[in-house]
Amino acid sequence: MARERRARVGVATALALLTLGAFVALAVAPGTTAALAACPHANAHPHETSLSNLRTAMRCLINKKRAKHNLHKLKDNAKLARTAKGHTKVMLNKDCFKHRCPGEPGLRKRMKRSGYLEGAKAYFYAEDIGFDRTPKRMIQRLINDPYNRGNILNGDFRDIGVGVGWGAPKKARDDRRYATYTILFAWRRS
């Protein structure tokens, strides 16, 4: 009887260890990165999830890249997000993949209108734009560009705003396959 009980306990322990091992193996399997594990919707294609989830995934991926370089996490800022969303909308409506589209104010004026700079004695801001099929692919494209990488890894920035919309800001691209992003980085001191 005691042998039988030990055997059952041994089998139960073995099954628990096998289950734990399977979870660990899946967590470190090729193609699964820590960023993806911690950033839901990082592999979401257009229309597979909400724009809100894509914004959250992009912020998460940016903060993961920053964490790898021992940089602080950027805080979501509603004023920056509203301004970024507005620029994304303009790019998509005008098929204009630029930091300033025809008839649109430049970034400096958009930042002033946002209210983010109100009362600030010192400030700095930058903008990254892009379009791709998933947030993960978009962050890879941005991080491989020296200008965009410099913004993402700038240790002075404190705040972030992400705008995203369905489609590509270029006529030759199939809008169903892309999401377009505007990412604003900033800091301010009163």
Side-chain angles (χ1 to χ4, degrees):
M1 194 82 141
R3 254 191 213 158
E4 221 174 278
R5 210 172 287 150
R6 276 190 229 133
R8 281 190 217 148
V9 170
V11 169
T13 303
L15 283 173
L17 288 173
L18 279 172
T19 303
L20 180 62
F23 282 121
V24 170
L26 285 173
V28 296
T32 303
T33 65
L36 285 179
C39 295
H41 309 291
N43 275 325
H45 288 270
H47 306 288
E48 287 182 353
T49 189
S50 68
L51 291 174
S52 176
N53 286 340
L54 293 180
R55 274 191 294 279
T56 300
M58 183 56 68
R59 275 193 314 267
C60 179
L61 291 167
I62 287 169
N63 280 321
K64 289 289 178 188
K65 291 287 183 193
R66 290 175 62 83
K68 284 183 182 178
H69 294 272
N70 298 316
L71 298 170
H72 59 271
K73 183 178 179 180
L74 297 174
K75 291 182 286 179
D76 186 29
N77 181 281
K79 292 175 181 177
L80 294 178
R82 188 173 46 254
T83 303
K85 287 178 201 175
H87 182 61
T88 298
K89 191 174 184 177
V90 168
M91 286 195 298
L92 290 168
N93 288 340
K94 296 188 176 203
D95 285 322
C96 170
F97 186 53
K98 295 180 179 180
H99 290 279
R100 184 178 185 182
C101 295
E104 178 188 36
L107 179 57
R108 182 171 184 242
K109 194 172 239 176
R110 286 185 274 136
M111 287 296 292
K112 282 188 174 190
R113 286 181 180 174
S114 76
Y116 178 83
L117 305 177
E118 197 171 300
K121 292 188 174 150
Y123 56 83
F124 190 72
Y125 50 82
E127 178 181 71
D128 287 353
I129 59 173
F131 63 97
D132 215 312
R133 296 177 183 174
T134 69
K136 180 184 173 192
R137 287 176 56 132
M138 185 73 261
I139 193 69
Q140 282 309 121
R141 185 181 299 256
L142 292 171
I143 209 74
N144 288 330
D145 176 84
Y147 173 81
N148 295 321
R149 179 184 178 86
N151 291 335
I152 293 167
L153 300 180
N154 183 325
D156 292 332
F157 289 134
R158 295 286 180 251
D159 301 311
I160 188 171
V162 178
V164 62
W166 304 124
K170 291 188 173 187
K171 287 183 183 182
R173 301 295 175 118
D174 182 354
D175 280 341
R176 295 170 297 172
R177 300 176 72 188
Y178 295 96
T180 295
Y181 297 85
T182 301
I183 305 160
L184 291 175
F185 303 91
W187 64 262
R188 61 185 306 275
R189 194 169 35 250
S190 300

